[in-house]
Amino acid sequence: MKAAVVQFKASTNKEDNLKKIVSYIEKAAAKNATLCAFPEFMMFYTNSSQTPKQLASLSEMINGNFVTTIANAAKKNNIQVVGSFYEKSRIKDRVYDTSFVVDKSGKVISKYRKIHLYDALGFRESDKMASGSKIAKPVKTDLGKIGMMICYDLRFPEMSRSLAVAGSEVLIAPSAWVKGHMKEEHWITINKTRAIENGCYVIAPDQVGNIYCGRSLVVDPYGKILLDMKKNQGIGFVKIDLNKVKQVRKDLPLLKNRRPDVYPTLKA
C-alpha cells in the first residue's frame, strides 16, 4: 500500500489552508495513495499574539465545516485521510489539539485529543489548549492498523509502546516540531527510536516554515528512513509493507520479550 505524506506551511487563514488541503488530497489520490497524512495545526497557524479566546472562537466541532469538507474530499477521491484540527472544548478559552482518521466513505472512524501538551523549552501549549484524557485505540485502515499520536507525544515512549502492544502496525504522528537547538536531531532520533523499539512504521508529517522545522519522516520497522522531506512543501509517497512489520517483530521480538510482570516492582 502507498502512503502520501503532506508537508506544508499553514497560513493564519483557515479557508485558504482548507483549499490547499483538499488539493493535496486530490493529488494524493491521483497517485493511487491509500492514505494521505497531514501535519499538526493544518487548520491554521497560531502566532504568539493570538489570545486563547481568539483561538477558541476559531475552533470547530468534529462535525463542523473543516473536518466535513475534508471528509467529503476523502469520499470523492476514494482515499483515507489523517488530519488534525482545533476542536472546541467545554473549558473556557481552551481548545483540544485533535487528530482524526477518515475512511474512503467519508466517515470519521477515529479521533484522538493530544495528551502531552508542549509545556517545554519556552512554550506553554496549556495556556491555550486542554489536554486529552485517553489514548485512542488503534484503528484498522487499508494501510494497516494505525495508532494515533501528535507531535510532543513522540517524546513519551510509554504511549507508543501502549499503542504497539494494542496492535498498531503503523504509528502516525501529525506534528508541528518547533525549530531550535538540537531540535532536528531530536526529531530524527525519536522517530527512528519509536519505530525500532516497537517494530512498526512511523509516519510523521510535519509543518514547515513559520517556527517549524519540516523534515517530515517515514521510518520503517527496522529504523530505516524511507522519506525525509527536508524543507520542501508538497507530497511524499512511501510504500508500506506490513510483511516487514511481521518479519521484524519475528526477528527482533521486543514486544514478546517484554517483562511487564517485573517492571512494577521498582519503586521510586
Side-chain angles (χ1 to χ4, degrees):
M1 296 295 178
K2 185 190 293 185
V5 179
V6 175
Q7 176 167 286
F8 80 112
K9 178 183 178 180
S11 74
T12 56
N13 188 296
K14 188 196 308 188
E15 294 305 319
D16 285 350
N17 294 327
L18 189 55
K19 290 177 184 177
K20 288 183 180 180
I21 290 163
V22 170
S23 177
Y24 280 129
I25 290 171
E26 292 170 349
K27 291 176 182 176
K31 294 290 187 178
N32 297 315
T34 302
L35 180 146
C36 185
F38 288 88
E40 182 186 24
F41 304 151
M42 64 192 251
M43 194 178 201
F44 53 84
Y45 172 57
T46 300
N47 56 41
S48 58
S49 64
Q50 188 178 54
T51 67
K53 185 176 182 178
Q54 289 171 331
L55 176 58
S57 70
L58 291 167
S59 63
E60 298 184 15
M61 302 295 285
I62 191 76
N63 59 353
N65 179 68
F66 187 78
V67 176
T68 298
T69 299
I70 292 168
N72 288 339
K75 181 178 180 179
K76 181 180 178 181
N77 291 280
N78 196 39
I79 189 172
Q80 298 169 331
V81 175
V82 173
S84 67
F85 76 115
Y86 291 113
E87 183 186 10
K88 288 187 181 297
S89 80
R90 295 181 179 179
I91 303 171
K92 184 180 179 181
D93 296 339
R94 294 293 184 273
V95 301
Y96 291 116
D97 182 3
T98 302
S99 62
F100 57 89
V101 183
V102 178
D103 68 13
K104 291 185 293 187
S105 71
K107 180 182 178 182
V108 176
I109 58 174
S110 182
K111 181 178 81 168
Y112 162 67
R113 293 168 174 167
K114 188 177 182 181
I115 291 172
H116 301 100
L117 299 183
Y118 185 45
D119 286 1
L121 298 173
F123 285 79
R124 280 190 55 82
E125 284 189 338
S126 62
D127 286 345
K128 295 182 179 181
M129 298 179 186
S131 175
S133 59
K134 62 181 180 179
I135 300 173
K137 293 181 179 179
V139 61
K140 290 183 179 180
T141 71
D142 291 344
L143 199 68
K145 203 168 187 180
I146 66 173
M148 295 302 302
M149 306 173 72
I150 299 176
C151 200
Y152 193 48
D153 289 331
L154 285 163
R155 289 190 180 270
F156 301 88
E158 302 91 342
M159 183 172 177
S160 58
R161 175 51 54 88
S162 296
L163 286 165
V165 171
S168 297
E169 297 163 305
V170 182
L171 298 176
I172 301 184
S175 299
W177 203 260
V178 178
K179 298 175 185 176
H181 176 63
M182 291 291 291
K183 292 295 295 298
E184 288 189 29
E185 287 83 356
H186 286 199
W187 169 252
I188 293 167
T189 301
I190 289 168
N191 274 284
K192 291 183 70 173
T193 303
R194 296 295 87 87
I196 294 166
E197 68 193 4
N198 294 302
C200 65
Y201 285 93
V202 173
I203 297 175
D206 196 23
Q207 284 271 352
V208 69
N210 293 314
I211 61 172
Y212 307 116
C213 69
R215 303 295 297 270
S216 294
L217 297 174
V218 177
V219 186
D220 83 359
Y222 211 64
K224 180 180 180 180
I225 294 177
L226 303 179
L227 175 70
D228 180 346
M229 296 184 69
K230 305 293 184 181
K231 308 297 180 182
N232 303 312
Q233 291 196 66
I235 310 179
F237 295 92
V238 173
K239 181 181 178 182
I240 301 297
D241 182 0
L242 296 184
N243 288 324
K244 184 169 287 187
V245 176
K246 295 176 182 177
Q247 189 63 50
V248 169
R249 287 179 173 177
K250 179 181 178 182
D251 295 341
L252 188 61
L254 299 178
L255 301 182
K256 183 179 179 181
N257 292 160
R258 293 167 62 245
R259 287 294 307 276
D261 57 316
V262 173
Y263 307 148
T265 63
L266 182 64
K267 304 297 181 182

